Amino acid sequence: VPFGFALIIAFLGVALFSIVLERALYSRLYRAGELEQVLFSIGVIFMSVAIVRYVWGALPQRMVVPEMLSGSFDFLGRGFPTYRSFLILVGFGIIAALWLGIERTNFGAQVRAAVDNRRMAESVGINVDLLFTLTFAVGSGLAGLAGALYGHYFQFLSPEQFGITQSSMILTMVVV
């Protein structure tokens, strides 16, 4: 699959799958406490890593950086890695798109209103459940995009890279 198309598939595939996941599972936890939400998320991560390991195996899968993004380029007399520079530009693009989407669109205003006061947002006609589902899908799609970009950065993907280690689980629980 061409690189650009793979990034689109990663974003859309994860976003569409997350809609099902959010409606079937996560939406039931919105009124639960933070600990229940974190424990559930950790369980989903364990299951996801196990499914990936079952389908693709535990051995790392090779990811090849596209020819146009490999190597380096010169700018002002200094060499810069092309792929890292691409990642920085993509990051700035995503930051700009998210900021504009949250601050300058009706969708962003509805998200801010629903987060601040769900009951009031519902009383003025905002479909908060649909809004949270779409927001969850966008966030999950961005996570899928990040995973696709991350894999090319390190040139190999393995289930262990995306799993939660015991030390990070402890830190997660401490933060919660």
Side-chain angles (χ1 to χ4, degrees):
V1 176
F3 179 68
F5 189 59
L7 295 180
I8 293 169
I9 289 173
F11 179 87
L12 291 177
V14 173
L16 292 174
F17 178 72
S18 73
I19 290 173
V20 174
L21 192 65
E22 193 272 343
R23 285 286 85 207
L25 301 173
Y26 275 102
S27 63
R28 300 167 195 249
L29 289 174
Y30 286 150
R31 289 180 174 80
E34 289 87 1
L35 183 60
E36 288 86 359
Q37 292 178 16
V38 169
L39 289 173
F40 179 77
S41 296
I42 289 171
V44 168
I45 290 170
F46 279 140
M47 289 178 11
S48 301
V49 169
I51 290 168
V52 167
R53 187 176 293 127
Y54 179 78
V55 172
W56 286 285
L59 295 176
Q61 302 291 316
R62 183 157 174 72
M63 305 285 290
V64 180
V65 175
E67 186 65 35
M68 67 181 184
L69 295 174
S70 63
S72 61
F73 65 94
D74 289 331
F75 182 70
L76 299 175
R78 298 208 55 186
F80 293 94
T82 306
Y83 194 72
R84 288 184 184 186
S85 301
F86 169 74
L87 291 179
I88 291 169
L89 291 175
V90 167
F92 280 131
I94 290 171
I95 289 168
L98 287 175
W99 181 80
L100 289 171
I102 291 171
E103 294 294 325
R104 304 283 186 208
T105 65
N106 189 34
F107 178 78
Q110 290 179 1
V111 168
R112 292 190 318 270
V115 168
D116 287 343
N117 192 334
R118 181 186 178 116
R119 287 181 55 204
M120 184 59 73
E122 287 173 334
S123 70
V124 296
I126 296 173
N127 186 345
V128 175
D129 290 333
L130 176 63
L131 192 67
F132 283 176
T133 300
L134 292 175
T135 304
F136 190 84
V138 169
S140 298
L142 288 173
L145 177 63
L149 292 169
Y150 172 86
H152 284 87
Y153 179 75
F154 287 100
Q155 300 177 352
F156 287 97
L157 282 180
S158 69
E160 285 73 28
Q161 287 174 312
F162 297 103
I164 289 188
T165 62
Q166 289 181 352
S167 62
S168 63
M169 273 197 295
I170 292 169
L171 291 174
T172 302
M173 295 298 175
V174 168
V175 168
V176 171

